[in-house]
Amino acid sequence: MEPEREGTERHPRKVRERRQAPNKLVGAAEAMKAGWDLEESQPEAKKARLSTILFTDNCEVSHDQLCELLKYAVLGKSNVPKPSWCQLFHQNHLNNVVVFVLQGMSQLHFYRFYLEFGCLRKAFRHKFRLPPPSSDFLADVVGLQTEQRAGDLPKTMEEPLPSNAKAAINLQDDPIIQKYGSKKVGLTRCLLTKEEMRTFHFPLQGFPDCENFLLTKCNGSIADNSPLFGLDCEMCLTSKGRELTRISLVAEGGCCVMDELVKPENKILDYLTSFSGITKKILNPVTTKLKDVQRQLKALLPPDAVLVGHSLDLDLRALKMIHPYVIDTSLLYVREQGRRFKLKFLAKVILGKDIQCPDRLGHDATEDARTILELAEYFLKHGPKKIAELNLEALANHQEIQAAGQEPKNTAEVLQHPNTSVLECLDSVGQKLLFLTRETDAGELPSSRNCQTIKCLSNKEVLEQARVEIPLFPFSIVQFSFKAFSPVLTEEMNKRMRIKWTEISTVYAGPFSKNCNLRALKRLFKSFGPVQSMTFVLETRQVQRPVTELTLDCDTLVNELEGDSENQGSIYLSGVSETFKEQLLQEPRLFLGLEAVILPKDLKSGKQKKYCFLKFKSFGSAQQALNILTGKDWKLKGRHALTPRHLHAWLRGLPPESTRLPGLRVVPPPFEQEALQTLKLDHPKVAAWRWSRKIGKLYNSLCPGTLCLILLPGTKSTHGSLSGLGLMGIKEEEESTGPGLCS
């Protein structure tokens, strides 16, 4: 298809005047202004989310299947197949992917210290079992082939930016033309709509995370001659997250009207000098606070001011201010597949300017603000067609290829190959992976042009670096290392787990008389579900669970299991027939929000068992269904689920403990008892509690729309293997459906 042609008639272009904008709004500006006044009756913006039910027949996810999901999260359905084991909806609304790897930990760790892992199990709704790891777990998960493992990929090479990239240009396919057309556009057409601001996480009035934000009070009429102001902020990392350290505001014509250093309210952990240029020495004498620059900015901006920034949402959040009229140059210069051009790249290609030079200490906020403003002015002056003719995508790809010292590859061929790795997928979209690990860790990824490896001295340093670096990368792998259980401790832990879960699964009922109908009792208990064994002790007068060290927290564990985020919206039913599923689906109005019916089968005969699990979108829907199904019409027995599928399968694999007489005291294995009494900081119980909270807080600080995986890889040695466990969720999706996170 040929590109759209402009008409032969030419009209004189009106000169933009900065003052006396007309009171009446026109075109897109009028529509946008009206949109701000509407209530939240409009449909909610799409969010990336995972299906409530990940799988039904298989509880174990292979490393290759994990790689499937990660590649799909990077590229989406147009380039790679969908994951075979789960569903990821609205992938294009994902903002980041973060994978935390807890080396040395396994599924045994998680359920032995289930209460201590409270922060993580409450935060992540989806859990799955992992097979015991290979010798290179990380390489398996990201899909690296043997020849691509550590040390085999080329190192980064700095090359000058090419002045021209020779590639065929089809303007009609350029994303800038697709969004704006080929004709020149006015200022109001470049403004972000409220829906776009919501999608890209700009602070908005009435949103829960913006309760203490100030309005700029700019509510005047917007027209194509409204004044533009370039804004850039620098931040540091404090105990409360990122806080403002410098603000620069530049008016049209390049005049800097505001350039202030700001002293953060909280303790500074990292000045981020390599980006901000701010040091302790520079900030020490500063007395200006955030409230001072907020007041100054409100006074400077006229009612119809338009703020222009590059990733402006981050600047406004640092300022804790809300402004309705914005142009974001990282979105104005549209790139394919939701990616964004860097400011340094646009400055060089569009304006011919070199900014953010490596020989300088950090960025110059005033220079960046002036450059951002010039980029917006260039777009308005020359129009989308002129920019599309520059072929920015080809220039950016050519630069990246030269930087790696490699020959260009056919991206389509690379992605269609079944053994494509996550690194190659990231490379195909011009993105880079961050890998944080300890220097002493054995497993590592190759350091290459699209994998930035940072090695730290301790887990604590890995965590501190993660807080700083994760927001800067679209895909991050953060690896912590813990001491694995010794063979002796592993064996004793397994014994304790068998005893504890046997005790939790045991029902004590009575007392019964010697003349009771045993057959009727058996029928009664079996009506609630499969019974492994039954023991009648007729001499006992008092009926209760034996009180031992291992049974003290059984009731607490049962309550916690019921409240586990994965069990929210799940119910267990007993007494179902072979036609139950068909009957259920015939009554869709009775069971709103039903997402999955799980009908377990006998492993030997293949026949459907007489119990099942139903998963619903919400706890309320599950409760309503439970009331109906246990009522007089359906006459089933049921309750809210306690054991998710992966746990059910794992427990089934544990050999049953031998029958014990009531009242027999269970003495805990001496080796672990002694270790628990010591309770050193590196003891697995303490480590589970501390690091669950730390990682939970870090997850809480991630931006909405972040896909996060917590991987406990398991262990493998000559003494035996322990299977792993995965936890998964998308930030914001979980906050709306699950319990609160650690604070």
Side-chain angles (χ1 to χ4, degrees), residues 244-245 261-265 268 283-290:
L244 184 71
T245 53
L261 293 170
V262 183
K263 179 69 70 74
E265 296 289 341
I268 297 175
L283 213 55
N284 263 345
V286 175
T287 58
T288 304
K289 295 289 188 179
L290 177 62

Side-chain angles (χ1 to χ4, degrees), residues 31 39 122 178 208 215 218 237 260 273 414 486 496 511 733:
E39 297 293 327
K122 290 176 182 177
Q178 290 178 352
L215 296 170
C218 293
L237 185 69
E260 293 284 349
T273 306
V414 171
S486 68
R496 290 176 69 93
E733 173 205 39

Side-chain angles (χ1 to χ4, degrees), residues 274 344 353-364 367-368:
S274 60
K344 179 181 174 73
K353 293 174 60 173
D354 288 309
I355 64 169
Q356 302 174 357
C357 299
D359 56 341
R360 297 180 189 171
L361 184 64
H363 300 174
D364 183 331
E367 179 185 55
D368 287 355

Side-chain angles (χ1 to χ4, degrees), residues 616-648:
F616 291 84
K617 287 184 178 179
S618 67
F619 178 84
S621 297
Q623 181 62 58
Q624 184 177 358
L626 186 62
N627 293 339
I628 294 172
L629 291 167
T630 56
K632 61 180 181 179
D633 293 331
W634 292 76
K635 298 179 180 179
L636 298 175
K637 290 185 171 62
R639 58 158 297 143
H640 289 284
L642 291 178
T643 53
R645 291 278 289 159
H646 71 273
L647 175 58
H648 185 70

Side-chain angles (χ1 to χ4, degrees), residues 639-664:
R639 58 158 297 143
H640 289 284
L642 291 178
T643 53
R645 291 278 289 159
H646 71 273
L647 175 58
H648 185 70
W650 183 58
L651 293 176
R652 192 172 55 214
L654 291 175
E657 190 69 12
S658 58
T659 306
R660 295 173 286 107
L661 293 176
L664 178 64

Side-chain angles (χ1 to χ4, degrees), residues 43-50 72-77 88-97 193-201 331 337-340 431 474 702-708 729-733:
E44 290 232 1
K46 291 182 179 179
K47 296 179 183 177
R49 65 179 181 88
L50 292 159
Y72 185 76
V74 172
L75 294 176
K77 62 183 178 182
L88 172 58
F89 299 102
H90 309 309
Q91 171 274 340
N92 57 324
H93 290 273
L94 277 181
N95 288 317
N96 300 86
V97 179
T193 64
K194 185 177 181 182
E195 190 59 40
E196 288 174 323
M197 292 177 73
R198 187 204 309 266
T199 299
F200 295 110
H201 311 294
L331 301 171
Q337 296 178 334
R339 294 172 287 164
R340 303 192 192 190
Q431 294 181 345
L702 299 178
C703 72
T706 296
L707 171 64
C708 185
I730 296 177
K731 179 72 188 307
E732 196 174 69
E733 173 205 39

